Amino acid sequence: MVVEAEAPVHGDAEEENYFISMTDMMVGVLFIFIIMLMAFALNFQKQADRQEDKISVAEEVGRKLEALEQRVSQRLSEIREAASARAQLLHDLRDALSREGLNVTVDEANGVLRLSEDAILFPVNGADLVGRARDNVDKLARVLAHILPVYSPCPAVADSPCLSRSRAYVETAFIEGHTDSTGLDTNNWDLSTKRAVNTFRELIVAAPDLRRILNGRGSEVLSVSGYASTRGIDPDRTALAYSRNRRIDLRFVMEVDSESGLREIQTLIDGMKGEIAHLSRPAVP
């Protein structure tokens, strides 16, 4: 009886223990599932955050690319404006000199006003301006004194303030001396420089106000340089070719703030490189 009575009790206990063990197991599995779900949610959040971070970085790179494009376009516009202003200056000078009876050649690509041998002809192995050559330099001086101030931010009047940069101006007007290919090369360098210096001196004697024409930095626009026979315009070995190469050129350089513009563009490029490197960096688990 007792045994029979105890047997059901033992069976109930086993069923209870089985139920408890199954419950514990289910709780354990559920707990593990919750942990896995939490881990998945956390990982998903990290991935989402990382994705959002990448989207944010990409958007920043896009903004910098747009800014870079605007800066480059602005610089190109300034360069085109300077080239256009220089071409206009060259044509203004050519037309004015033509009215003075001087025929000159314009080289727009290099910003050069080339004075022919008919305008300024130097003797062989000589740098002196004599006779007609001196008279023609005087004509050139008057034309330069009349036209160059239009292309300068600083009026040719003592103590007058320079204008703000609202257009392209002349930075330097080089008076370039040249020789033919005869004679010693070492002598030709000195000779070409003397021709440029003598032309400069005659220009400022004829038109003293030329020295008051300044660029945006407040420096004199007129300068000199000599090239010996390195920039000949006629390769023939004839008397006519030699006389053409013994010449004076005027080369005009316009003011374009390329240095600060390039620094600005370089800063933008460096910033974009950093952002792109961030995008390419592998995710840290």
Side-chain angles (χ1 to χ4, degrees):
M1 294 289 298
V2 174
V3 175
E4 290 179 357
E6 288 178 354
V9 173
H10 179 71
D12 292 342
E14 286 182 348
E15 288 178 2
E16 183 179 3
N17 291 337
Y18 176 78
F19 177 78
I20 292 174
S21 63
M22 286 294 294
T23 302
D24 291 342
M25 185 175 67
M26 290 295 294
V27 170
V29 170
L30 182 60
F31 183 71
I32 293 173
F33 177 76
I34 291 173
I35 292 176
M36 292 176 64
L37 184 61
M38 290 177 63
F40 175 79
L42 181 61
N43 185 59
F44 179 81
Q45 182 63 40
K46 287 183 178 179
Q47 291 293 335
D49 291 343
R50 192 176 299 118
Q51 186 66 19
E52 290 177 0
D53 182 53
K54 287 185 176 182
I55 293 174
S56 176
V57 172
E59 290 175 347
E60 181 63 21
V61 171
R63 285 191 292 269
K64 289 184 177 181
L65 278 172
E66 184 177 354
L68 177 61
E69 183 181 9
Q70 291 175 353
R71 298 295 189 279
V72 170
S73 296
Q74 180 182 352
R75 296 302 167 187
L76 288 175
S77 177
E78 291 174 359
I79 292 172
R80 285 192 294 267
E81 178 189 355
S84 177
R86 185 171 68 176
Q88 186 61 53
L89 167 62
L90 290 171
H91 289 289
D92 288 348
L93 290 172
R94 183 192 61 187
D95 294 344
L97 289 171
S98 178
R99 290 192 291 270
E100 293 285 340
L102 297 181
N103 294 321
V104 297
T105 303
V106 166
D107 179 359
E108 283 190 20
N110 296 300
V112 172
L113 185 77
R114 184 158 293 124
L115 302 171
S116 67
E117 69 278 8
D118 292 332
I120 302 176
L121 178 62
F122 291 97
V124 176
N125 203 34
D128 294 333
L129 292 166
V130 294
R132 183 183 176 190
R134 184 182 297 274
D135 293 340
N136 288 340
V137 171
D138 291 348
K139 293 178 181 179
L140 175 62
R142 290 193 296 270
V143 169
L144 288 173
H146 176 67
I147 292 178
L148 269 185
V150 178
Y151 294 87
S152 169
C154 302
V157 179
D159 301 325
S160 295
C162 293
L163 304 175
S164 60
R165 190 183 184 281
S166 58
R167 53 166 292 181
Y169 294 113
V170 174
E171 197 278 335
T172 305
F174 286 105
I175 303 167
E176 299 180 342
H178 301 269
T179 70
D180 58 39
S181 57
T182 62
L184 297 176
D185 191 55
T186 52
N187 294 338
N188 283 339
W189 284 106
D190 291 338
L191 183 59
S192 64
T193 303
K194 287 179 181 178
R195 287 173 175 170
V197 169
N198 287 346
T199 301
F200 170 81
R201 288 173 174 167
E202 182 61 29
L203 286 172
I204 61 176
V205 167
D209 284 347
L210 284 173
R211 299 207 66 175
R212 298 195 184 102
I213 302 175
L214 310 177
N215 58 27
R217 299 193 312 274
S219 301
E220 293 184 26
V221 165
L222 288 185
S223 185
V224 298
S225 58
Y227 292 99
S229 61
T230 61
R231 297 190 179 186
I233 58 174
D234 192 332
D236 291 342
R237 295 182 176 276
T238 62
L240 178 60
Y242 293 151
S243 66
R244 293 188 64 201
N245 290 329
R246 296 192 301 270
R247 71 190 193 280
I248 291 291
D249 287 344
L250 294 182
R251 185 183 303 272
F252 297 92
V253 178
M254 307 302 288
E255 279 194 21
V256 178
D257 191 10
S258 58
E259 184 176 352
S260 64
L262 290 174
R263 283 199 303 267
E264 184 180 15
I265 291 172
Q266 185 62 55
T267 299
L268 286 170
I269 291 174
D270 290 341
M272 285 191 298
K273 285 181 179 178
E275 302 293 350
I276 293 171
H278 181 74
L279 282 174
S280 304
R281 192 179 301 127
V284 179

